[in-house]
Amino acid sequence: DQDFPELENVREELRAYYRRFEKHGVVVREAQIDPLARLTAKPGNFEAWEMGCGKSLASLAWDHAKRQDDARRGRQSGFTLLVSSALAIELHWRDQLEEYALAYSQPGSRAEWLSIAGVRVDGQSFLLATHLAVAKYAKVIRGLVRRGFITSLIVDESDEFRSRGSQRAQALAIAGREIRHKALLTGTPVRNNAAELFPQLALFFHGDPFFRCVAQTQVVFDSKLGDFKTIKNPDYLQSYHGRGGFALFKRCHSPSK
């Protein structure tokens, strides 16, 4: 609270945002309001909430709070890029945005993506993009980001981008890593091992050191002794970079043995 004195004002803004949709059955829950308010002071929002806990609405509320924060700082807000599967866009996001009367469009060609440069953004406005669209128009989207027309990113089911070598993960990195505000939503942050977190976390920081290994020791298996032993961790306090940090991250958090 001391580092972010506007926190109580942000909480009230979020409560007011949720109340706008009370007629749709939305209930204000303080257990969600407080962490969302705190996330506005952070460079990224990783909502690893279980299914049915309100990730979608929470991400819309977070987007609203970041726009309010930008306004207080005198910064212009552009479109919010909302990335999801084609099925989720069709069966979920379109219906939810229409129900809440929030503006959106889904560009389907290079020309349509480029045309948003001439559109004035007034309040929340979303650009829906499937995984295929991100892969196909990644460089076009990056150009719009660099010109300030896209300032926020919401990635639904971010675990779909867990494989750092996949085309979709690389395309999302190209399109989205320079976007000012980012939110990742998933009920299953990893499916197999902790190394799958790295491509998701790396989106937030665009090559900067973003966390460090704080384990002073490692537990390893000594084949000669036939037992485990504790040794000094050579990677203690080493930082994991968005670029080049995957090997270190995997060694510390998802070892082969």
Side-chain angles (χ1 to χ4, degrees):
D1 290 16
Q2 293 176 348
D3 294 336
F4 192 40
E6 303 94 346
L7 193 58
E8 184 51 44
N9 291 334
V10 174
R11 289 191 188 103
E12 190 51 45
E13 288 174 359
L14 290 169
R15 293 185 191 104
Y17 188 85
Y18 272 70
R19 291 191 193 105
R20 286 169 51 185
F21 310 118
E22 284 181 333
K23 63 181 180 180
H24 301 289
V26 172
V27 178
V28 178
R29 300 186 187 279
E30 288 301 318
Q32 293 177 329
I33 295 297
D34 185 64
L36 279 174
R38 293 177 184 277
L39 282 169
T40 63
K42 298 180 180 293
N45 167 13
F46 199 165
E47 291 177 30
W49 299 359
E50 293 182 4
M51 183 181 295
C53 289
K55 292 190 297 294
S56 298
L57 181 55
S59 69
L60 301 180
W62 167 85
D63 178 71
H64 169 76
K66 296 304 287 188
R67 288 174 180 275
Q68 297 295 103
D69 186 52
D70 278 347
R72 283 191 291 269
R73 297 171 185 268
R75 298 189 299 199
Q76 184 68 35
S77 293
F79 287 95
T80 295
L81 178 65
L82 200 165
V83 178
S84 189
S85 68
L87 187 63
I89 286 176
E90 185 65 30
L91 300 181
H92 172 64
W93 284 108
R94 283 176 171 271
D95 290 344
Q96 184 156 52
L97 294 175
E98 289 174 6
E99 184 178 10
Y100 296 159
L102 296 174
Y104 76 88
S105 62
Q106 187 173 353
S109 66
R110 186 176 187 276
E112 289 179 2
W113 278 104
L114 292 174
S115 70
I116 75 164
V119 178
R120 176 182 172 83
V121 178
D122 185 16
Q124 286 186 285
S125 189
F126 297 87
L127 297 173
L128 305 182
T130 64
H131 299 166
L132 179 61
V134 171
K136 190 174 183 178
Y137 303 112
K139 292 183 178 179
V140 176
I141 295 171
R142 181 177 63 184
L144 294 168
V145 171
R146 290 177 172 175
R147 293 164 64 190
F149 297 114
I150 298 174
T151 53
S152 292
L153 169 69
I154 296 173
V155 182
D156 185 27
E157 300 300 342
S158 62
D159 58 293
E160 295 286 346
F161 300 87
R162 67 191 180 278
S163 176
R164 62 191 292 267
S166 68
Q167 183 182 14
R168 68 174 63 172
Q170 293 175 359
L172 183 62
I174 292 171
R177 65 187 176 192
E178 295 180 45
I179 295 178
R180 185 188 304 162
H181 308 304
K182 307 178 189 71
L184 306 183
L185 319 179
T186 177
T188 51
V190 297
R191 298 187 187 182
N192 301 299
N193 56 68
E196 294 174 352
L197 281 171
F198 189 87
Q200 300 173 71
L201 295 174
L203 270 175
F204 287 136
F205 297 94
H206 186 37
D208 296 329
F210 53 89
F211 58 93
R212 297 176 184 273
C213 180
V214 296
Q216 298 187 39
T217 60
Q218 288 182 342
V219 178
V220 298
F221 184 75
D222 190 322
S223 57
K224 292 182 179 180
L225 297 175
D227 201 356
F228 291 95
K229 66 178 182 180
T230 300
I231 64 172
K232 183 179 179 180
N233 181 13
D235 300 315
Y236 177 56
L237 292 186
Q238 292 296 307
S239 61
Y240 309 100
H241 294 266
R243 293 189 185 127
F246 177 74
L248 178 59
F249 182 88
K250 189 174 187 299
R251 184 163 70 250
C252 292
H253 297 279
S254 182
S256 58
K257 293 184 180 179

